[in-house]
Amino acid sequence: MVLPLIVPTKTQKGKRALERREPKLFENTKVAMIIKGGNTSETVTKALRDIYILKKPNSVMYKRKNIIRPFESENSLDFFSGRSDASLFLFGSHSKKKPANLVFGRFFDHHVMDMIELGVEEFKSMMDEKSSKVSLGTKPCLLFAGDPFEQDADYVRLKNLFVDFFRGAVVDNVRLAGLEHVIMFVAADGKIYMRNYKISLKKSGSRTPYIDLSDMGPSFEFVLRRTKLATDALYKRACKRPRAAKIQKRKNIAHDAFRNKTGRIHMERQDYSKLQTRKVKAYKARKIIEKKKKTVSTEN
């Protein structure tokens, strides 16, 4: 067996590019590819553009049309993933049988792992809303409502995919003023509703501010069409975390949901009779005066 020849890079730019692609203990923020199909409508084009804006700066927009059928052949998507170093993709297409079609998907080791096809029945662009928008790169707050997201297997995986797609950068701390964007998903009556709101903090007369939500777009009404999900073994392998990245359990030390460290200390019961307390001169002088008064009273 002849091993492939590894040609070392000659420039610093090439070395930095290879370092970014190397496996890491804590991976970089996932990048999403926004891909146009061979035939697209105005609705699909606007939807792809709006989601590209929501994902900025962790998104790559492919301007040229690509004749790809994701559910028939995955080779082109795998190639694009390796070239752009992307872990997520959104493919938009339009046809007579499946109008306004969006395919959300993700990769594992630059191979397609999950794909879910959604049909856009109603759409309102971000540009149609005159309200103010959130700043670039804002980490959104994701809300899910509806029993299908907890009971139906396809909807459970779709919820996981949406979280992976829209969650943004992984951060340790979040300040209150930084919560500006809310993405809400509602599953009801066989449809999936997606809404985007901007959070405004207003004075309430107390320490806790009043929260006002304004619709900033885009708004979608999806219907689930096709799914191609990874096997349980592959999904488990993709979710596996390296041992070095896990928080090592230590005796009497725990972490809560917000990763705050708490500790428990075990001590022997103290003998309070031997407890050394602080001696104050004022108390000592008072005791001497009271003792003199008692001696004088006894003499009388």
Side-chain angles (χ1 to χ4, degrees):
M1 180 179 179
V2 180
L3 295 176
L5 180 63
I6 299 176
V7 181
T9 57
K10 297 180 180 180
T11 60
Q12 292 295 331
K13 184 177 179 181
K15 291 180 181 179
R16 289 194 296 267
L18 290 179
E19 288 177 358
R20 286 195 298 268
R21 291 171 178 260
E22 285 180 353
K24 300 178 181 63
L25 193 61
F26 298 98
E27 293 292 339
N28 301 331
T29 304
K30 294 185 177 181
V31 177
M33 299 185 299
I34 313 297
I35 306 172
K36 286 184 180 181
N39 186 21
T40 58
S41 62
E42 184 179 359
T43 300
V44 173
T45 303
K46 288 183 177 180
L48 294 177
R49 180 197 59 195
D50 286 1
I51 294 178
Y52 166 70
I53 294 173
L54 288 179
K55 282 288 295 177
K56 270 187 172 183
N58 303 311
S59 56
V60 178
M61 185 75 174
Y62 282 29
K63 297 181 180 180
R64 294 183 180 180
K65 294 183 178 181
N66 297 273
I67 304 175
I68 301 173
R69 294 178 177 84
F71 284 86
E72 297 178 10
S73 177
E74 305 171 356
N75 296 331
S76 298
L77 293 175
D78 295 344
F79 171 74
F80 290 152
S81 173
R83 187 177 67 177
S84 300
D85 194 21
S87 304
L88 306 164
F89 76 90
L90 174 61
F91 178 80
S93 62
H94 179 81
S95 64
K96 187 176 181 180
K97 291 184 178 180
K98 295 183 178 180
N101 200 51
L102 295 179
V103 180
F104 287 85
R106 55 186 168 184
F107 300 93
F108 175 65
D109 196 18
H110 297 305
H111 294 284
V112 175
M113 186 175 73
D114 290 333
M115 285 190 297
I116 297 180
E117 186 179 71
L118 302 175
V120 181
E121 294 196 345
E122 290 187 11
F123 169 69
K124 190 173 183 180
S125 176
M126 184 186 296
M127 302 304 172
D128 298 337
E129 296 287 349
K130 296 182 180 180
S131 60
S132 59
K133 308 299 187 289
V134 297
S135 55
L136 181 67
T138 302
K139 185 176 177 64
C141 177
L142 304 180
L143 301 177
F144 292 87
D147 293 335
F149 283 130
E150 304 296 334
Q151 299 173 358
D152 192 310
D154 291 340
Y155 279 81
V156 170
R157 190 65 66 87
L158 177 62
K159 175 183 175 181
N160 186 273
L161 179 57
F162 277 150
V163 171
D164 217 12
F165 198 94
F166 291 103
R167 69 176 183 174
V170 178
V171 295
D172 295 330
N173 300 314
V174 178
R175 62 189 181 95
L176 183 61
L179 295 175
E180 302 179 13
H181 186 198
V182 174
I183 305 178
M184 186 168 187
F185 300 92
V186 180
D189 302 327
K191 295 183 180 180
I192 303 160
Y193 302 91
M194 176 182 170
R195 299 290 185 267
N196 287 268
Y197 300 101
K198 181 182 178 181
I199 299 176
S200 299
L201 303 179
K202 299 182 178 180
K203 294 182 179 179
S204 62
S206 62
R207 188 175 181 181
T208 304
Y210 174 75
I211 298 175
D212 181 48
L213 298 179
S214 58
D215 194 355
M216 59 169 249
S219 301
F220 292 93
E221 182 179 321
F222 294 120
V223 59
L224 186 63
R225 287 178 177 168
R226 286 188 295 178
T227 61
K228 188 174 182 181
L229 306 178
T231 60
D232 294 338
L234 180 59
Y235 184 74
K236 185 177 180 181
R237 182 185 168 199
C239 295
K240 187 177 179 180
R241 297 179 61 190
R243 185 176 297 178
K246 295 180 181 178
I247 299 176
Q248 299 295 330
K249 290 185 178 180
R250 297 177 60 185
K251 193 174 181 180
N252 300 322
I253 294 178
H255 294 79
D256 57 10
F258 299 100
R259 301 189 70 178
N260 295 322
K261 186 186 292 186
T262 57
R264 181 181 298 175
I265 300 175
H266 298 274
M267 297 179 63
E268 296 180 358
R269 187 173 181 84
Q270 294 181 344
D271 186 2
Y272 297 108
S273 62
K274 298 180 180 179
L275 186 64
Q276 180 66 35
T277 58
R278 184 181 177 187
K279 295 180 180 180
V280 183
K281 292 183 179 180
Y283 295 153
K284 188 176 181 180
R286 186 176 178 182
K287 288 181 180 180
I288 293 171
I289 293 170
E290 289 179 354
K291 190 175 181 181
K292 287 182 179 180
K293 285 182 180 180
K294 286 182 180 181
T295 53
V296 171
S297 61
T298 53
E299 290 177 354
N300 294 334

